[in-house]
């Protein structure tokens, strides 16, 4: 695949509201499936019986699957937004996490409340059965507010889990599947350096930068910068969960190859379109009344179906009415926007004019 690239989420074996061929027609070469969610529903064995994840969702290009580690974090501490806004229980844990220990994680399924277990071998087995092209090693994603002592213990455990993931994958992986290790270490410079060094030494063909990366953009950029300083330049690097325009432009310049994030599709589900306007944080809220009579498209020079055929007024009406068509049209637009952004960045790199293009995008 061409890099740098944005990878849309197909967490539940679908990029929400779109068919697989539509995602491909938009120009995407890889999607991300969610190991944790597919483990719980419909179950990896059912997907195996139906031909594997590619066949199941009719996606013929590469698939990367996450390890389930971030979902462990979400069960324990809520979403990243919950963490940043302090929306967590006094104990710091939600009721679904039962135990995190050396073997793995015991938790209650959000599907039926049953007790389930996931460890490195479980995660790798699920990803093996799914048949993804890139598998991620099992890790624990610690929140930025975790104390240093816990963050360090968790990081070392993640490194031991990486060793087990590498061993399992070496003995059982399907032909062609490669493994990425995940760098942890929280928001601590020395721990990020230690983790990056350890993951690089494990020899995985690619490396992902994970964890809750901080309370704000500056802290996230500090953490990513510390990590990259300790990573080898000869292997692809994936930044997990980062998808804002300014962050991507910044991270590509530092050498990040691929990104995944829920932002473009999540915004679409809430009536928000991505637009080339830095002053708006690259966002247009079509639910707002200011669009009620607008005959303009979302974006004049956009080639997506929504911009070619519909007005902001119509999209405003659909979004306010919570029509499913609004989600579909805005998802098409937002993924078209992200594809165009990555095309511009690739062209700028090839033409050796990245700084000028970045300045133009960032305004």
């Amino acid at each position: 695949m061409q890099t740098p690239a944005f990878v849309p989420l197909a967490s539940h074996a679908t990029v929400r509201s779109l068919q697989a061929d539509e995602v491909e027609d938009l120009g995407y070469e890889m999607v991300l499936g969610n190991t944790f969610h597919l483990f719980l529903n419909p179950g990896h064995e059912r997907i195996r019986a139906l031909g594997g994840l590619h066949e199941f969702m009719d996606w013929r290009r590469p698939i990367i699957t996450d390890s389930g580690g971030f979902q462990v974090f979400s069960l324990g501490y809520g979403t990243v937004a919950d963490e940043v806004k302090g929306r967590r229980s006094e104990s710091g844990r939600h009721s679904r996490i039962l135990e995190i220990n050396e073997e793995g994680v015991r938790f209650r399924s959000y599907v039926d409340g049953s007790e389930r277990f996931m460890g490195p071998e479980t995660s790798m087995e699920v990803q093996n059965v799914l048949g993804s092209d890139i598998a991620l090693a099992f890790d624990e994603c610690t929140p930025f507010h975790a104390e240093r002592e816990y963050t360090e213990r968790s990081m070392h455990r993640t490194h031991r889990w990486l060793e087990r993931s590498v061993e399992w994958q070496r003995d059982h992986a399907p032909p062609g599947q490669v493994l990425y290790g995940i760098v942890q270490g929280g928001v601590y410079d020395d721990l990020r350096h230690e983790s990056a060094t350890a993951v690089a030494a494990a020899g995985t063909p690619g490396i992902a930068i994970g964890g809750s990366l901080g309370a704000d953009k500056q802290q996230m950029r500090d953490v990513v910068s510390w990590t990259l300083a300790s990573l080898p330049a000869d292997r692809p690097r994936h930044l997990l969960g980062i998808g804002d325009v300014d962050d991507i432009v910044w991270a590509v310049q530092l050498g990040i190859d691929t990104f995944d994030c829920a932002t473009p599709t999540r915004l679409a589900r809430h009536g928000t379109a991505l637009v080339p306007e830095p002053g708006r944080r690259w966002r247009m809220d079509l639910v707002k009344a200011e669009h009620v009579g607008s005959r303009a498209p979302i974006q004049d020079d956009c080639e997506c179906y929504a911009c070619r055929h519909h007005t902001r007024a119509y999209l405003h009406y659909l979004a306010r009415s919570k029509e499913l068509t609004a989600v579909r049209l805005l998802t098409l637009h937002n993924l078209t926007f992200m594809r165009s952004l990555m095309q511009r960045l690739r062209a700028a790199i090839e033409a050796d004019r990245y700084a000028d293009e970045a300045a133009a995008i960032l305004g």
Side-chain angles (χ1 to χ4, degrees), residues 5 149 166 169 203 240 259 277 291 333 342 351-352:
E149 181 182 359
V166 169
Q169 208 249 5
L240 289 157
F259 305 80
E277 298 180 32
H291 304 294
H333 170 80
M342 304 314 296
D352 196 24

Side-chain angles (χ1 to χ4, degrees), residues 332-352:
L332 284 168
H333 170 80
N334 286 353
L335 289 182
T336 299
F337 179 93
M338 295 301 294
R339 178 209 64 196
S340 298
L341 170 66
M342 304 314 296
Q343 286 176 332
R344 288 180 66 179
L345 297 182
R346 289 196 296 267
I349 292 170
E350 292 172 356
D352 196 24

